[in-house]
Amino acid sequence: MNGEYPYLKHARMIFQCPLCNKVPEDQREDFIKDVRFTVREYDKGDIIVTQGSLSETLFIVIKGEVSTEMSDEKGDFMQIEYIKAPNPIATGFLFAADNRSPVSATCQSSCKVIAIPKDNVYLLMRKYESFMHTFLSYISNKVFFLSEKLRLVSLRTIRAKLAYYLLKESEGQKIFQLKTSREDMARLFSVSRPALVKVMMEMAEEGVIDVERRNICINDRAALQNMF
Amino acid sequence: MNGEYPYLKHARMIFQCPLCNKVPEDQREDFIKDVRFTVREYDKGDIIVTQGSLSETLFIVIKGEVSTEMSDEKGDFMQIEYIKAPNPIATGFLFAADNRSPVSATCQSSCKVIAIPKDNVYLLMRKYESFMHTFLSYISNKVFFLSEKLRLVSLRTIRAKLAYYLLKESEGQKIFQLKTSREDMARLFSVSRPALVKVMMEMAEEGVIDVERRNICINDRAALQNMF
DNA sequence: GAAAAAGTGTAATAATTATGACATTTATAA
DNA sequence: TTATAAATGTCATAATTATTACACTTTTTC
């Protein structure tokens, strides 16, 4: 009885997690009794999930930043997702038939992560509707995200990819800032950096866009739309 | 009372659906009372879901074949998935935040499709554990599937893609048959057909594989693995 | 504030791929 | 069966992209 109070205080951290923070106040006491979780701390560079390992646990980042990537046999890797707290990691794979994780998750800064066992997730979903809704929405968004990325990578030329990407990133604005470096854009496109820069500068020369490092101005939106 | 029996008979079709066929016998009478669905019939070429339309309904193919694809503004399209009965369509997008469907679904033969409204799916998931498990597993597999495809498309060269693809398709066998035409393979890889064939023949000349139309024999598995 | 690291633009050359033919074989339909 | 369509392999040429440098700027770190 004596040791229970510090635990319960600690346990309330679970509601920082975006899968749980929609649980209504009046259900939270019950929820805390039902949930089974641990909090883990990692340093920058630590690996949370290894590609190929069994995924029997739901991980939710509540502090720091994590990137997930798939690596091939040569050690090259492709970034799949960049996860900032508070968000779950690799939600989509937890219940897959082949439940080895196809991605690795690496800490980009010091991180705090909540870990919930898979069977406990089932229980929580059945008992707490809000949890189920949020969880489903997360997986679905993952599917959407992957589909969008697939569409981008499937475009044939760098010009097409860049046009598509710029229109997405602009979010309808004429002037905006790119969130990633040329290097990362090239990796996202699966092309080389010099080739990407070259195409970008060509588009600038044509007057379709203005480029100054990460600052972009779209002069001719229609032209971009015709490029893919 | 008189009209109820034909309905119930019709209703039992729902258990042909792979999301529902794990519901235990002793729960099926209850399940039929809770489920709300319609059966729709389509001809070859008919469109079940249009890209961009709201996805408020879960569709499950119980007869025929359906392909889902994403099209760009020029009318070119990329096939995402080929769904044979009995399987659900675009499971992943139903609960996404932006719930417009990013894919179109087109009938490849005459089809029979079960349609269940989204809110009814929520209800069924909470009440029937088997349904929830199956549904989650389906979405998760979708994520897995997309990730694999993304990995394939993200490989830089045709040679790398082909090596990766052949190893996957071979399923460990030395001799096997390709399931798709060169045309479709090229589309899957996002490359041109002549370029794909050229690389394939180069690999055959090197002795790594034998090719005779769709019949493939892998002579040097290690060499393939080193190509990506 | 200086040094180191990361990010950015450029160029020449080599390699890869697309395009748009065409011939040949295999499946399909009339 | 024949005619038609679909699938496959090939080629020359043009276009695109990768590679490997290097110079320069900005940001980060100590």
Side-chain angles (χ1 to χ4, degrees):
Chain A
M1 201 62 180
N2 204 23
E4 202 174 336
Y5 286 104
Y7 169 73
L8 280 181
K9 191 175 177 185
H10 194 219
R12 289 219 147 254
M13 286 178 71
I14 194 72
F15 296 115
Q16 290 175 32
C17 134
L19 289 175
C20 307
N21 66 10
K22 296 263 171 57
V23 175
E25 271 300 337
D26 60 352
Q27 295 177 15
R28 292 199 170 187
E29 287 310 311
D30 283 341
F31 191 90
I32 282 191
K33 284 174 197 147
D34 287 327
V35 73
R36 227 166 68 237
F37 74 101
T38 55
V39 178
R40 305 180 189 179
E41 307 220 3
Y42 297 91
D43 291 325
K44 178 172 178 176
D46 284 356
I47 293 173
I48 301 175
V49 178
T50 309
Q51 191 169 354
S53 64
L54 287 181
S55 61
E56 294 291 344
T57 310
L58 173 63
F59 294 103
I60 303 148
V61 187
I62 57 171
K63 199 198 88 183
E65 297 173 10
V66 173
S67 94
T68 60
E69 54 229 13
M70 294 194 296
S71 64
D72 57 39
E73 281 65 11
K74 291 209 300 290
D76 294 341
F77 65 89
M78 201 191 100
Q79 193 184 85
I80 300 298
E81 209 177 356
Y82 196 85
I83 303 161
K84 294 182 182 181
N87 271 305
I89 299 172
T91 333
F93 304 119
L94 193 54
F95 301 114
D98 181 352
N99 65 343
R100 288 166 307 168
S101 176
V103 299
S104 293
T106 311
C107 294
Q108 300 301 302
S109 61
S110 70
C111 290
K112 199 175 281 183
V113 175
I114 285 178
I116 306 177
K118 184 172 164 177
D119 57 352
N120 191 233
V121 174
Y122 277 130
L123 186 146
L124 295 173
M125 283 186 70
R126 293 204 64 204
K127 199 155 171 187
Y128 300 94
E129 186 160 12
S130 55
F131 182 79
M132 180 180 87
H133 278 234
T134 319
F135 193 85
L136 282 177
S137 155
Y138 258 87
I139 305 190
S140 294
N141 286 341
K142 181 101 176 189
V143 174
F144 190 79
F145 177 86
L146 283 172
S147 301
E148 283 295 315
K149 187 160 258 178
L150 189 54
R151 187 168 177 181
L152 170 69
V153 179
S154 296
L155 292 169
R156 298 287 180 96
T157 61
I158 296 181
R159 179 169 274 261
K161 291 176 188 181
L162 183 55
Y164 182 80
Y165 183 77
L166 289 178
L167 287 174
K168 283 266 163 197
E169 289 296 301
S170 73
E171 293 169 346
Q173 301 295 311
K174 184 176 166 65
I175 298 176
F176 64 101
Q177 282 213 336
L178 293 173
K179 298 183 199 77
T180 55
S181 68
R182 298 285 187 276
E183 182 77 46
D184 287 344
M185 274 177 68
R187 201 199 310 282
L188 173 66
F189 291 9
S190 282
V191 301
S192 72
R193 185 185 59 79
L196 170 62
V197 173
K198 189 183 165 200
V199 172
M200 207 160 174
M201 290 302 136
E202 279 170 16
M203 277 165 58
E205 267 182 36
E206 293 162 15
V208 177
I209 56 173
D210 290 338
V211 181
E212 192 256 323
R213 299 185 82 83
R214 294 199 186 182
N215 303 299
I216 306 291
C217 175
I218 296 180
N219 299 318
D220 189 345
R221 192 164 284 268
L224 284 184
Q225 280 157 349
N226 282 328
M227 286 179 189
F228 59 92
Chain B
M1 203 61 179
N2 205 22
E4 202 174 337
Y5 286 104
Y7 169 72
L8 279 181
K9 191 175 178 186
H10 194 219
R12 289 219 147 253
M13 288 179 67
I14 193 74
F15 296 115
Q16 290 175 34
C17 134
L19 289 175
C20 307
N21 65 10
K22 296 262 172 57
V23 175
E25 272 298 337
D26 61 352
Q27 295 177 15
R28 292 199 169 187
E29 286 310 310
D30 283 342
F31 192 89
I32 282 192
K33 284 175 196 146
D34 286 328
V35 71
R36 228 166 69 238
F37 73 101
T38 56
V39 178
R40 304 182 189 177
E41 308 219 4
Y42 297 91
D43 291 325
K44 178 173 177 174
D46 283 356
I47 292 172
I48 302 174
V49 179
T50 309
Q51 191 169 353
S53 65
L54 286 181
S55 62
E56 294 290 344
T57 310
L58 173 62
F59 293 103
I60 303 149
V61 187
I62 57 171
K63 200 198 87 183
E65 297 173 7
V66 173
S67 93
T68 59
E69 54 230 11
M70 294 196 294
S71 64
D72 58 37
E73 281 65 11
K74 294 209 296 291
D76 295 340
F77 67 89
M78 199 191 99
Q79 194 184 83
I80 299 298
E81 210 178 356
Y82 196 85
I83 302 161
K84 293 181 181 180
N87 271 304
I89 300 173
T91 334
F93 304 119
L94 192 54
F95 300 114
D98 180 353
N99 65 343
R100 289 166 305 167
S101 174
V103 300
S104 292
T106 312
C107 295
Q108 300 300 302
S109 62
S110 71
C111 292
K112 200 176 281 184
V113 175
I114 285 178
I116 306 177
K118 183 172 166 176
D119 56 353
N120 192 234
V121 175
Y122 276 130
L123 186 146
L124 296 172
M125 284 186 70
R126 294 206 63 204
K127 200 157 171 185
Y128 301 93
E129 187 161 10
S130 55
F131 182 79
M132 182 181 85
H133 279 232
T134 319
F135 193 85
L136 282 178
S137 155
Y138 258 86
I139 304 190
S140 292
N141 286 341
K142 180 100 177 189
V143 174
F144 190 78
F145 178 86
L146 284 172
S147 299
E148 282 296 312
K149 187 160 257 179
L150 188 54
R151 187 167 177 182
L152 172 69
V153 179
S154 295
L155 292 170
R156 298 288 180 96
T157 63
I158 296 181
R159 178 169 274 261
K161 290 177 188 181
L162 183 55
Y164 182 81
Y165 182 78
L166 290 178
L167 287 174
K168 282 264 163 199
E169 291 294 302
S170 72
E171 293 169 347
Q173 301 295 310
K174 185 175 163 69
I175 298 175
F176 64 101
Q177 283 214 337
L178 293 172
K179 298 184 199 78
T180 55
S181 67
R182 298 285 186 276
E183 182 78 44
D184 286 344
M185 275 177 68
R187 203 199 307 284
L188 173 66
F189 291 9
S190 283
V191 302
S192 73
R193 185 185 61 77
L196 170 62
V197 173
K198 189 184 165 200
V199 172
M200 207 159 174
M201 291 303 138
E202 279 171 15
M203 277 165 59
E205 269 183 35
E206 293 162 17
V208 177
I209 56 173
D210 289 339
V211 181
E212 192 255 322
R213 299 186 83 83
R214 295 199 186 184
N215 303 300
I216 306 291
C217 174
I218 297 180
N219 298 318
D220 189 346
R221 192 165 283 268
L224 285 183
Q225 280 157 348
N226 281 327
M227 287 179 187
F228 58 93

